[in-house]
Amino acid sequence: MVRKKVFLVVIGAIAAILVGSLTHFKVIAQSPTDLDLAVYHAPIHYQDTDSTKYRGDYITRFDYDSDWRGTNNWDNLQFPLNAHAYYSVAETCTHWFITYSFFHPQDWTDIPFDQEHENDLEGQLAIVRKDGSTFGKLEGIVTVFHTDFYSYTPSGSPLLNGAENIDGTLTMSSYNGSLHPLTAQEAKGHGLKAWPYTGDFQGASNEDGIIYYPSKTTAEVPASANDRNVQYLLLDVFAPSGVWQHQLDEASLSSSSALTFASWGTFKGDSSGGCGDGTPTCSTNSANAPWGWDDSNDGSVYKGEMALDPAHLTDVYFDGLGTFDTTYIRNRFIQNLRDRGYNSANLPQGWPTQLNLNSLIGKLKNQCL
């Protein structure tokens, strides 16, 4: 009887300890995958098309023609143009920074004495605060419009004008359970802004254009130049044998030896296949990857920082940031360069002179305090 009583007392004490521990237990939400995060915040994308050569305005992937040669993409427009967009994610203790980029095989024109070039990649940066929810809260975007960047914020965002002015308010639309920003690209030259700030396509039935919707699984080909519902597949920039891998593999090669890149952040492109035929001229090696994007007049933000150091770009462009971390617990661009042995004394061929690689590497850290 005594043993049974002692046993019950012991069991009761253990139960009390467990119950007491549970009152202090905090459930931590599982972090989203980069793909889930990218899809959640990906834009619903309005692509203006021009009837002169509407296939030149379809978005696709760089290797849509089954190779990574930069100098035959203009030539191969007859290949299927399944819709894709690239994404990458960098992370600080306060924010996720997601780049999205849309590839076109041609930047073309039908205007006399204008210029065109092979390959075209323009896109945007999404600034997402880690607010305790699974996917965070979108605070603003910065878009690439040729050699200028434009900033937009959704209603209610705390972000204010910094060294650069905010250029407009984001329109948001619900799709697959989350709110997505609406973005737009011109026909022909494909400069990108928030919708409806560029192009002649706003979605009306009498306008030429395609509305692309983000997907984790599906890459559709538009049924026509006036398709209002086409899914684009999100591709991780860091995927094995992907676009970033090709940049790293060619980072020390000369332009003549490389297949995909002419120099750091710049794709190869030539005048074969009819680029520049007629009155336009054709420029070569004129399209940039996200780590080569540059605004021509944004002061202390240098070429490539939208991808390589998005926290610094955000810190310069905006005020009203609140608690804001400028160092990275994840930044594959910087980590991979460091791991390949690159530093300020051993730079990739064509690395921008104003961007200090050692300083970038110094912004990596292991954890949040």
Side-chain angles (χ1 to χ4, degrees):
M1 187 73 174
V2 173
R3 287 182 180 176
K4 184 176 181 182
K5 193 171 184 179
V6 170
F7 176 76
L8 291 173
V9 169
V10 171
I11 293 298
I14 293 172
I17 291 170
L18 290 173
V19 171
S21 298
L22 287 173
T23 62
H24 298 287
F25 181 75
K26 183 177 180 180
V27 177
I28 301 173
Q30 185 176 1
S31 297
T33 66
D34 284 352
L35 176 57
D36 286 340
L37 189 68
V39 170
Y40 189 90
H41 293 288
I44 297 171
H45 194 60
Y46 284 63
Q47 175 63 64
D48 193 5
T49 59
D50 188 283
S51 59
T52 304
K53 186 167 53 174
Y54 59 86
R55 286 176 59 82
D57 297 320
Y58 288 6
I59 63 172
T60 189
R61 55 192 293 164
F62 186 90
D63 57 334
Y64 77 100
D65 56 354
S66 300
D67 68 44
W68 285 91
R69 185 177 299 279
T71 53
N72 67 1
N73 282 330
W74 181 287
D75 316 49
N76 290 336
L77 204 62
Q78 74 278 5
F79 280 67
L81 296 167
N82 297 77
H84 292 80
Y86 294 99
Y87 74 91
S88 66
V89 178
E91 182 179 2
T92 70
C93 293
T94 61
H95 284 77
W96 288 294
F97 300 93
I98 313 170
T99 62
Y100 299 93
S101 49
F102 298 95
F103 176 77
H104 300 80
Q106 299 182 1
D107 180 307
W108 65 281
T109 184
D110 56 3
I111 300 172
F113 311 111
D114 201 357
Q115 189 175 78
E116 53 192 13
H117 60 79
E118 186 164 37
N119 302 318
D120 196 18
L121 192 71
E122 303 193 34
Q124 68 185 66
L125 169 70
I127 303 156
V128 179
R129 177 167 290 278
K130 297 158 75 172
D131 65 350
S133 63
T134 301
F135 297 103
K137 186 173 183 179
L138 180 69
E139 293 187 326
I141 71 171
V142 181
T143 73
V144 179
F145 191 86
H146 310 306
T147 58
D148 289 296
F149 295 167
Y150 288 82
S151 305
Y152 305 91
T153 54
S155 296
S157 172
L159 301 188
L160 305 170
N161 291 335
E164 298 288 317
N165 290 330
I166 295 171
D167 297 291
T169 301
L170 276 175
T171 300
M172 307 292 291
S173 182
S174 181
Y175 176 69
N176 276 355
S178 65
L179 286 174
H180 296 259
L182 271 56
T183 54
Q185 271 186 291
E186 307 170 297
K188 306 177 187 178
H190 309 134
L192 194 153
K193 294 183 180 180
W195 179 93
Y197 296 101
T198 191
D200 298 321
F201 174 58
Q202 298 186 14
S205 59
N206 63 338
E207 297 172 337
D208 294 336
I210 299 166
I211 303 178
Y212 288 102
Y213 292 86
S215 173
K216 292 194 290 185
T217 59
T218 305
E220 295 182 322
V221 177
S224 72
N226 296 292
D227 198 330
R228 297 299 190 262
N229 194 330
V230 180
Q231 293 185 73
Y232 70 86
L233 179 64
L234 282 155
L235 294 176
D236 191 346
V237 161
F238 303 123
S241 301
V243 65
W244 174 244
Q245 184 70 54
H246 279 81
Q247 173 68 97
L248 288 177
D249 291 345
E250 296 184 356
S252 61
L253 299 180
S254 66
S255 178
S256 59
S257 301
L259 187 71
T260 304
F261 289 91
S263 63
W264 178 260
T266 299
F267 293 110
K268 293 188 76 167
D270 63 15
S271 59
S272 66
C275 179
D277 281 0
T279 53
T281 59
C282 181
S283 61
T284 60
N285 305 334
S286 296
N288 295 313
W291 48 95
W293 287 341
D294 192 22
D295 183 288
S296 58
N297 59 355
D298 61 354
S300 62
V301 176
Y302 302 127
K303 182 178 181 179
E305 285 197 51
M306 188 178 285
L308 298 169
D309 196 1
H312 177 248
L313 180 148
T314 302
D315 198 22
V316 172
Y317 272 45
F318 299 100
D319 286 340
L321 290 164
T323 304
F324 186 77
D325 189 9
T326 57
T327 55
Y328 300 96
I329 51 176
R330 283 195 308 138
N331 187 320
R332 283 277 301 275
F333 293 113
I334 304 174
Q335 291 165 338
N336 289 166
L337 284 166
R338 177 201 61 191
D339 294 345
R340 289 275 185 128
Y342 290 109
N343 53 54
S344 293
N346 178 34
L347 293 170
Q349 186 264 335
W351 181 266
T353 57
Q354 292 176 304
L355 201 56
N356 189 302
L357 183 49
N358 282 355
S359 294
L360 286 179
I361 293 171
K363 294 184 178 185
L364 297 174
K365 61 185 177 184
N366 294 325
Q367 60 185 4
C368 298
L369 299 178

